[in-house]
């Protein structure tokens, strides 16, 4: 008769999941307080704040865990975001692609000239950037829209309208965050590849009516992960010290009051009304065509 085998050792406790890339980007851009918003100008455009309170900016959609223990990222997403710059490049940017291939540069760097050739507001061309449906806001029936075309409009107006439409959508996200949190957002930090564009930075400041500071490292997600590691290793006593020691605001773009006045009227009187008025048509389109799969 043998001796009973010892019980197996307890399995090691699982490590907590790493913070998501956007959460790292937020602290890498220096956004630790709920009054500072991080705008990410990447493939998915987002606006985030860091808050110690659990706040569902979209009802029944939980916030993401922040890269700081005990805090949350109050995030609003535009799924296609600055992917739309690539869409424009592929569909309408032949000239810039050819010039960049000849000079060895990036086509996107040439697009700022298109923006600068068009006045704020794109002479009434308004774009709703729902090239991909949302989870709940916008709904699964959502589609993109461009309204206000006239014979004066060119591809330069279209490109500027893309950047303006993304900024309008993120401003709408800002207002949703403020309404749910009860805290006014007074500062902007911009990160991601799109933040390298001076034109995008300036029109963001103008549309939000707030100073927009470029993160000093546009790929701030990796920097945020390094901040997490630095605090975890005890190189800094806390996150405030780590962010102060490892980040700094880059160039700050101040809003132009004349441009902000135009944008504010277009945002309130046109942009914020577009989705509600077009939503029934989006449903009909999906019903008729089956795209993008809305059940009807």
């Amino acid at each position: 008769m043998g001796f009973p085998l010892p019980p197996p050792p307890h399995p090691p406790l699982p490590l907590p999941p790493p913070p998501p890339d956007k959460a790292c980007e937020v602290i890498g851009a220096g956004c630790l307080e709920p009054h500072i918003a991080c705008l990410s100008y990447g493939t998915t455009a987002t606006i985030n704040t860091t808050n110690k309170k659990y706040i569902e900016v979209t009802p029944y959609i939980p916030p993401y865990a922040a890269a700081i223990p005990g805090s949350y990222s109050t995030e609003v997403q535009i799924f296609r975001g600055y992917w739309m710059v690539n869409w424009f490049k592929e569909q309408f940017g032949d000239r810039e692609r050819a010039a960049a291939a000849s000079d060895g540069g990036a086509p996107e760097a040439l697009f700022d000239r298109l923006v600068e050739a068009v006045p704020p507001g794109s002479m009434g061309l308004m774009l709703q950037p729902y090239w991909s449906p949302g989870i709940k806001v916008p709904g699964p029936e959502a589609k993109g829209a461009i309204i206000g075309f006239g014979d004066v409009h060119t591809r330069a107006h279209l490109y500027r309208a893309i950047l303006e439409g993304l900024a309008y959508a993120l401003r709408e996200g800002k207002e949703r965050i403020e309404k749910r949190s009860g805290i006014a957002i007074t500062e902007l930090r911009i990160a991601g590849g799109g933040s390298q564009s001076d034109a995008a930075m300036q029109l963001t400041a103008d549309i939000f009516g707030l100073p927009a500071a470029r993160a000093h490292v546009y790929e701030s997600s990796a920097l945020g992960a390094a901040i997490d590691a630095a605090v975890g290793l005890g190189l800094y006593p806390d996150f405030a010290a780590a962010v102060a020691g490892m980040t700094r605001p880059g160039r700050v773009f101040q809003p132009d009051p004349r441009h902000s006045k135009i944008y504010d009227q277009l945002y309130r009187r046109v942009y914020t009304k577009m989705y509600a008025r077009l939503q029934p048509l989006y449903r009909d389109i999906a019903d008729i065509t089956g795209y993008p799969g809305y059940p009807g």
Side-chain angles (χ1 to χ4, degrees):
M1 184 173 176
F3 293 99
L5 294 174
H10 291 295
L13 294 174
L15 293 173
D21 59 340
K22 292 292 186 184
C24 290
E25 191 172 42
V26 173
I27 64 170
C31 303
L32 292 183
E33 301 296 332
H35 71 279
I36 307 174
C38 175
L39 276 61
S40 173
Y41 281 178
T43 302
T44 297
T46 60
I47 179 168
N48 273 283
T49 62
T50 302
N51 202 313
K52 293 182 179 179
K53 294 181 180 178
Y54 179 94
I55 297 168
E56 294 178 353
V57 177
T58 304
Y60 308 116
I61 303 295
Y64 291 99
I68 301 172
S71 296
Y72 301 93
S73 282
T74 53
E75 180 173 287
V76 175
Q77 301 179 351
I78 309 300
F79 284 133
R80 281 303 185 178
Y82 267 69
W83 167 92
M84 293 187 68
V85 171
N86 188 65
W87 174 80
F88 179 89
K89 178 180 72 175
E90 295 296 327
Q91 303 302 324
F92 306 103
D94 291 352
R95 299 176 211 175
E96 288 75 20
R97 290 163 66 189
S102 173
D103 299 341
E108 291 83 355
L110 303 176
F111 288 157
D112 273 12
R113 299 177 189 174
L114 296 179
V115 179
E116 291 159 0
V118 173
S122 301
M123 298 184 75
L125 200 63
M126 298 290 292
L127 183 141
Q128 188 181 63
Y130 298 152
W131 262 234
S132 179
I135 296 173
K136 191 172 180 182
V137 181
E141 77 292 333
K143 293 181 177 295
I146 309 172
I147 64 172
F149 272 111
D151 58 4
V152 299
H153 291 121
T154 66
R155 69 191 187 101
H157 294 84
L158 174 60
Y159 184 69
R160 183 171 187 123
I162 287 172
L163 301 189
E164 290 174 343
L166 289 168
Y168 288 140
L170 292 171
R171 174 174 165 176
E172 195 170 41
K174 164 188 172 287
E175 293 176 358
R176 284 167 52 198
I177 292 171
E178 290 175 326
K179 183 177 180 180
R180 298 290 292 182
S181 69
I183 298 170
I185 291 171
T186 58
E187 299 180 41
L188 304 178
R189 302 280 189 274
I190 321 293
S195 68
Q196 297 174 88
S197 164
D198 286 355
M201 291 294 300
Q202 184 59 57
L203 67 83
T204 299
D206 292 340
I207 286 175
F208 278 75
L210 293 171
R214 177 184 281 145
H216 81 283
V217 176
Y218 74 88
E219 293 287 4
S220 65
S221 183
L223 178 57
I227 290 171
D228 259 353
V231 175
L233 291 170
L235 301 178
Y236 288 93
D238 53 39
F239 281 94
V243 167
M246 297 175 68
T247 75
R248 65 180 184 278
R251 179 180 170 187
V252 179
F253 292 76
Q254 298 292 337
D256 183 318
R258 298 166 300 168
H259 299 169
S260 291
K261 183 177 180 180
I262 293 169
Y263 281 131
D264 190 61
Q265 292 184 69
L266 287 171
Y267 173 75
R268 295 189 182 281
R269 294 169 59 183
V270 182
Y271 182 83
T272 57
K273 298 178 180 179
M274 285 176 67
Y275 182 66
R277 296 189 181 186
L278 292 172
Q279 186 182 38
L281 300 181
Y282 294 154
R283 287 177 173 154
D284 286 343
I285 290 170
D287 233 9
I288 296 165
T289 67
Y291 179 82
Y294 181 69

